[in-house]
């Protein structure tokens, strides 16, 4: 939305495509139909920031296409489908891909039990439908997210009774480092303080150096076990604690949804703290492919404030590329955003000193744990193949892990970590399986096109 | 409409392990009797049949086993006459030529019949018959010719039309002109066949190295030399008596180093796979006039292919898919099987398809470079194991034998 608004404001014709029925994405999502908001403050800062952004896309040069699913990009055409209108192609001069992120799947015994939910899913339920998923919710996670989400959930009336954080209590040194970099991030710091006070006020215990170990129950989660961890998030034996709960909320950060960007074959780097593979881009957000820009958490998770700034910069750059903005005007208009991004970036780096994902997160599964939940493939079925190869595609083709509905979004990184552990390869060296369209499943009847004729064989 | 399926059924892993990573990456031996280059279906099955005969064999694969055409095809058996070979109003001579080929396919079917027993593994082999549909009266005439040729060659097939067709296959579009049903048609899982051959070959003593690329092959012309070939790889040199080039789409690269010119061409093949639905489609479906293969697998997904094009790339980049191949191919599938319209397309993929200009295999030893063999088959999945077995018999025979048809000759000239 930020990118569309910033480009349109400078005279660029924009088509804004979104898969959902309403705009706002995951962070700024609106209430479901039929729900009313008594006090916007209940939904926090995000709600009003979202309202501003949504206002910004109400522009004569922006055409909105919602319920429109991007299936693939071929050359300079984006191919989409709509549940009622079918396939629609968009030709572009410039493309901005802002695909967002999804909750980092954490594989541990019981992670597929009903009642085990990701923070994003719980948040959606609570925000848009005002339904709490349970009566006794344990929140297990790490990073600013664990704090923010658990506090937001409590504010919205979801009964979180305890929060587990895998990282240790921040050291004085790292707190000092955060304080030094807080310039330009006061909003984030204020958010954090507010969340902290919500937890304090509600007397919710916030335990450091704890990780979720397993969830158990007959048909749904009834109890969970967690334990103390060392610096690498490995369990300290003997520290296990079991408690009865009816809901377990998992929030260990996000993975970028970069399937489309992999499909167009732009170049990537690796940063575990930004969700793994991150898109290489210049300071305007242009990927390694000319004309294709990539912004927001879908290119490397850096949060919604940074995403808005990235989008604004990319929109300005495109206005310049299309001759609507001179070089000097571009620099001037972009300067505040570039400054903001620099500040966000250094704060993020300081934060990563406190909260960074450690390898222990990949060591929670046991032999009976289902790794690929779509195809129901257990760790014990994958292990022997990992013994024989360090190639993710080979493992996939041999045991079907990653071939199901989610196309590996949930299991590929876990399997990559198994390869990494077995063969001593760095996670950054282990590529996902070959990207292919459609990026998301789509009904055959929506896309089949009888007007396409193949080259005939010999029959005339 | 088709119901949403239950979760895919759980299979017992049929092999405890796969190949040994340590062994795959271990140093090369100094010398070997038979060196097979290329870890696809032909290379893996040939290793198996040779090892079974007690021949010393080393298989080299530059990447991983089964990564190219052997693993990217749609797994169909093509025992019926391939449609690109059929024309309206064929002469008797053409018909008898095709009948000879059908006999080869009948032999291949026998091998596939026994393969799961031979390799002691579940390879997703189905022999539930194949349906070839015709939309027009002209296509019906071709279908009838095909039936006549096939029956004369010992491959059973039946023509069904009208109510008979609708009763037999109620899921098909009711207004099709007719179908041919071949009870011997089937399919297997291409992701499992080659790795299993490789695994069983290894058990029988064949050596396998993956990640080992052949850089050059030199034939030793001096008489009395202890070895005919010196082969350079990225992991060192190796000497061998005999070489089998089983590099499929890349067979020309290696052969041209020895001055041989193979009559081959390359193309990309597009395949679609859907989400799983309740199992109902036992028979594979093809179209006599259009590009379509359609089947439901062990995992309840539908695999839809049939020879739509994809975008070629040079190794090691993977071929990429064309959107128009998906939408066109799916439209043909819906024309034949309209009830698929609500089923979701999950993924597409593509791989290289290597063909010969006369659609016959290239198989056997070159007369120009003794000791140098080629194994390449255009319908490689269907015929691969059978031609491998043929070549293994040839290589392992104590005395020279002539078991390979002359028309498969490595040295043949093919007019363009």
């Amino acid at each position: 939305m930020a990118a569309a608004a910033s480009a349109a404001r400078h005279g660029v014709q924009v088509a804004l495509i979104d898969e959902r029925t309403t705009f706002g994405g995951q962070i700024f999502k609106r209430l479901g139909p039929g729900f009313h908001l008594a006090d916007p403050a209940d939904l926090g800062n995000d709600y009003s920031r979202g309202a501003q952004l949504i206002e910004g896309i109400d522009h004569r040069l922006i055409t909105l296409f919602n319920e429109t699913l991007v299936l693939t990009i071929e050359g300079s055409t984006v191919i989409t489908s709509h549940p009622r209108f079918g396939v629609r192609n968009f030709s572009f001069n410039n493309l901005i891909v802002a695909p967002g992120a999804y909750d980092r799947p954490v594989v541990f015994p019981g992670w597929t039990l009903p009642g085990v939910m990701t923070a994003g899913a719980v948040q959606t339920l609570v925000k848009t439908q005002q339904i709490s998923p349970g009566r006794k919710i344990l929140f297990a996670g790490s990073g600013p997210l664990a704090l923010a989400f658990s506090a937001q959930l409590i504010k919205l009336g979801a009964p979180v009774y305890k929060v587990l954080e895998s990282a240790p209590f921040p050291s004085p040194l790292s707190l000092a480092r955060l304080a030094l970099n807080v310039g330009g991030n006061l909003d984030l710091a204020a958010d954090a303080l507010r969340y902290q006070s919500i937890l304090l006020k509600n007397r919710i215990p916030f335990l450091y150096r704890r990780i979720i170990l397993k969830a158990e129950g007959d048909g749904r989660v009834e109890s969970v076990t967690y334990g103390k961890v060392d610096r690498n998030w490995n369990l300290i034996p003997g520290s296990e604690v079991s408690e009865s709960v009816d809901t377990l909320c998992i929030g260990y950060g996000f993975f970028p949804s970069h399937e489309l960007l992999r499909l167009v074959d732009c170049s990537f780097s690796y940063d575990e703290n930004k969700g793994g593979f991150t898109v290489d881009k210049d300071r305007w957000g242009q990927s390694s492919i000319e004309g294709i820009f990539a912004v927001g958490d879908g290119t490397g998770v850096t949060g919604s404030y940074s995403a808005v700034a990235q989008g604004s910069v990319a929109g300005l750059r495109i206005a310049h590329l299309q001759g609507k903005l001179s070089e000097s005007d571009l620099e001037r208009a972009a300067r505040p955003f570039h400054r903001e991004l620099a500040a966000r970036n250094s704060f993020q780096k300081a934060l990563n000193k406190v909260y960074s994902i450690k390898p222990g997160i990949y060591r929670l599964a046991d032999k009976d744990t289902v790794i690929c939940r779509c195809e129901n493939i257990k760790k014990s079925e994958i292990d022997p193949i990992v013994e024989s190869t360090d190639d993710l595609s080979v493992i996939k083709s041999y045991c079907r892990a990653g071939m199901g509905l989610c196309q590996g979004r949930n299991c590929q990184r876990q399997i990559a970590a198994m390869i990494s552990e077995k063969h001593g390869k760095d996670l950054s060296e282990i590529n996902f399986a070959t990207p292919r369209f459609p990026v998301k499943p789509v009904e055959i009847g929506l896309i089949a096109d009888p007007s396409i004729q193949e080259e005939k064989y010999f029959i005339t | 409409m088709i119901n949403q399926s239950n979760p895919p059924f759980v299979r017992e892993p049929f092999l405890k392990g796969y190949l040994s990573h340590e062994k795959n990456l271990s140093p090369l031996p100094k010398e070997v009797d038979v060196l097979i280059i290329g870890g696809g279906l032909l290379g893996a099955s040939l290793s198996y049949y040779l090892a079974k005969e007690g021949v010393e064999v080393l298989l080299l694969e530059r990447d991983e086993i089964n990564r190219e055409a052997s693993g990217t095809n749609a797994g169909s058996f093509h025992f019926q006459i391939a449609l690109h070979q059929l024309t309206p109003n064929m002469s008797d001579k053409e018909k008898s030529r095709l009948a000879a080929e059908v006999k080869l396919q009948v032999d291949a079917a026998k091998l596939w019949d026994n393969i799961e027993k031979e390799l002691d593994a579940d390879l997703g082999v189905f022999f539930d018959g194949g349906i070839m549909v015709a939309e027009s009266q002209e296509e019906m005439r071709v279908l009838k010719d095909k039936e006549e040729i096939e029956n004369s060659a010992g491959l059973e097939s039946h023509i069904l039309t009208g109510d008979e067709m609708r009763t037999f296959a109620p899921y098909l579009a009711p207004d099709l002109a007719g179908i041919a049903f071949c009870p011997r048609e089937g399919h297997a899982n291409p992701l499992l066949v080659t790795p299993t051959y490789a695994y069983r070959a290894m058990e029988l003593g064949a050596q396998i190295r993956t990640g080992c690329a052949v850089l050059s092959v030199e034939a030793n012309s001096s008489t009395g030399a202890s070895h005919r070939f010196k082969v350079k790889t990225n992991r060192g040199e190796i000497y061998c008596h005999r070489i089998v080039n089983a590099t499929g789409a890349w067979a020309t690269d290696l052969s041209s180093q020895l001055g041989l010119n193979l009559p081959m061409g390359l193309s990309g093949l597009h395949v679609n796979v859907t989400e799983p639905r309740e199992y109902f489609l036992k028979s594979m479906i093809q179209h006599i006039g259009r590009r379509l293969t359609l089947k439901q697998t062990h995992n309840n997904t539908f695999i839809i292919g049939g020879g739509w094009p994809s975008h070629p790339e040079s190794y090691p980049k993977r071929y990429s898919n064309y959107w128009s191949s998906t939408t066109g191919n799916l439209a043909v599938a819906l024309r034949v099987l309209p009830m698929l319209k609500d089923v979701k397309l999950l993924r597409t993929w593509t791989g290289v398809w290597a063909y010969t200009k006369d659609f016959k295999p290239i198989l056997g030893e070159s007369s120009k470079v003794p000791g140098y063999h080629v194994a390449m088959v255009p319908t490689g999945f269907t015929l691969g194991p059978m031609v491998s077995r043929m070549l293994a018999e040839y290589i392992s025979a104590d005395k020279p034998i002539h078991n390979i048809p002359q028309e498969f000759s490595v040295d043949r000239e093919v007019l363009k």
Side-chain angles (χ1 to χ4, degrees), chain A residues 49-264:
Chain A
R49 284 172 62 219
Q52 259 178 28
L53 282 164
I54 291 169
E55 229 165 76
I57 58 170
D58 184 9
H59 191 285
R60 66 185 169 82
L61 288 177
I62 304 179
T63 317
L64 303 177
F65 297 90
N66 47 19
E67 285 185 84
T68 303
L69 179 64
V70 175
L71 302 170
T72 187
I73 298 168
E74 206 164 77
S76 57
T77 304
V78 175
I79 296 163
T80 72
S81 75
H82 183 284
R84 291 182 303 285
F85 310 138
V87 171
R88 183 185 259 140
N89 295 346
F90 295 84
S91 301
F92 59 85
N93 295 319
N94 292 104
L95 173 69
I96 302 179
V97 185
Y102 62 99
D103 290 87
R104 172 189 279 269
V106 179
V107 178
F108 55 89
W111 73 295
T112 55
L113 267 182
V116 179
M117 299 179 75
T118 61
V122 175
Q123 201 197 37
T124 301
L125 203 59
V126 175
K127 253 194 197 175
T128 67
Q129 305 291 319
Q130 300 183 343
I131 292 170
S132 170
R135 296 206 166 83
K136 193 180 178 199
I137 305 176
L138 177 73
F139 192 106
S142 182
L145 169 84
L147 181 64
F149 270 47
S150 54
Q152 283 174 12
L153 293 178
I154 290 160
K155 193 82 201 289
L156 291 164
V160 173
Y161 78 97
K162 189 182 276 180
V163 181
L164 309 179
E165 161 63 71
S166 302
F169 188 79
S171 68
L173 177 68
S174 52
L175 284 177
R177 211 181 275 125
L178 276 175
L180 275 178
N181 288 292
V182 81
N185 295 279
L186 287 172
D187 39 12
L188 279 176
D191 283 353
L193 280 176
R194 202 169 54 245
Y195 295 141
Q196 196 95 51
S197 75
I198 292 172
L199 291 181
L200 282 172
K201 208 165 73 192
N202 289 278
R203 296 168 193 278
I204 309 294
F206 194 96
L207 308 183
Y208 287 94
R209 288 179 60 192
R210 299 296 193 291
I211 202 164
I212 184 69
L213 295 173
K214 66 180 166 193
E216 290 166 298
D218 184 10
R220 64 164 292 129
V221 59
E222 290 164 359
S223 74
V224 297
T225 305
Y226 59 86
K228 265 190 148 173
V229 291
D230 65 14
R231 295 208 156 271
N232 285 318
W233 296 12
N234 292 319
L235 175 69
I236 297 168
S239 67
E240 297 89 341
V241 178
S242 294
E243 280 171 14
S244 72
V245 301
D246 64 10
T247 303
L248 171 62
C249 182
I250 297 293
Y252 289 88
F254 301 96
F255 282 172
S257 291
H258 43 45
E259 299 83 13
L260 260 181
L261 292 155
R262 289 174 54 231
L263 201 54
V264 298

Side-chain angles (χ1 to χ4, degrees), chain A residues 69 71-74 79-81 87 89 262-265 373-378 380-407 422-423 425 432-460, chain B residues 7-8 10-22 24-25 63-67 83-88 138-139 142 189 191-192 195-196 270 274-276 288-291 299 301 304 306-309 317-328 330-332 334 340-351 359:
Chain A
L69 179 64
L71 302 170
T72 187
I73 298 168
E74 206 164 77
I79 296 163
T80 72
S81 75
V87 171
N89 295 346
R262 289 174 54 231
L263 201 54
V264 298
D265 203 18
R373 62 192 303 172
C374 301
E375 295 289 316
N376 204 17
I377 314 285
K378 289 179 183 162
S380 59
E381 293 174 81
I382 300 173
D383 277 336
I385 311 167
V386 175
E387 289 279 327
S388 353
T389 178
D390 55 8
D391 186 329
L392 201 52
S393 293
V394 173
I395 294 169
K396 175 182 167 184
S397 69
Y398 203 63
C399 71
R400 297 190 62 77
M403 277 195 193
L405 268 183
C406 87
Q407 286 290 296
K422 171 73 202 162
H423 299 288
K425 257 182 148 178
F432 281 0
T434 319
R436 300 285 187 197
F437 64 69
V439 165
K440 293 213 173 141
V442 60
E443 287 86 354
I444 289 178
L446 267 183
I447 57 170
D449 183 354
S451 73
I452 309 267
Q453 295 284 318
E454 72 273 35
E455 195 188 316
K456 288 282 182 185
Y457 287 117
F458 301 151
I459 295 177
T460 48
Chain B
V10 179
R11 293 152 296 104
E12 283 302 310
F14 58 88
L15 294 176
K16 287 282 176 258
Y18 175 53
L19 299 169
S20 153
H21 192 63
E22 279 73 26
N24 286 345
L25 298 179
D63 190 335
E64 292 261 7
I65 299 295
N66 204 37
R67 286 294 285 142
L83 52 164
H84 57 253
Q85 303 205 337
L86 292 165
T87 51
E138 191 190 16
E139 287 175 358
V142 183
N189 185 342
L191 297 176
L192 300 180
T196 307
H270 176 102
T274 72
E275 62 179 337
I288 188 77
R290 301 206 57 190
R291 301 193 176 200
N299 308 293
T301 58
I304 302 168
W308 287 73
K317 244 187 132 187
R318 318 283 305 170
Y319 279 37
S320 58
N321 295 81
Y322 294 125
W323 179 248
S324 57
S325 283
T326 285
T327 56
L330 293 180
V332 181
L334 279 192
L340 289 185
K341 86 178 161 52
D342 293 331
V343 177
K344 282 182 171 170
L345 171 70
L346 195 54
R347 187 179 167 88
T348 55
W349 77 83
T350 176
F359 293 104

Side-chain angles (χ1 to χ4, degrees), chain B residues 89-121:
Chain B
N89 314 315
M90 280 180 291
S91 67
D92 287 348
K93 198 177 152 205
E94 278 173 297
K95 286 181 184 174
S96 64
R97 180 180 62 81
L98 285 173
E101 283 183 25
V102 173
K103 282 186 185 130
L104 197 70
Q105 276 139 225
V106 171
D107 287 346
K110 284 181 195 151
L111 187 151
W112 281 106
D113 255 343
N114 292 316
I115 193 169
E116 290 185 315
K117 216 171 132 197
E118 165 104 27
L119 298 180
D120 189 21

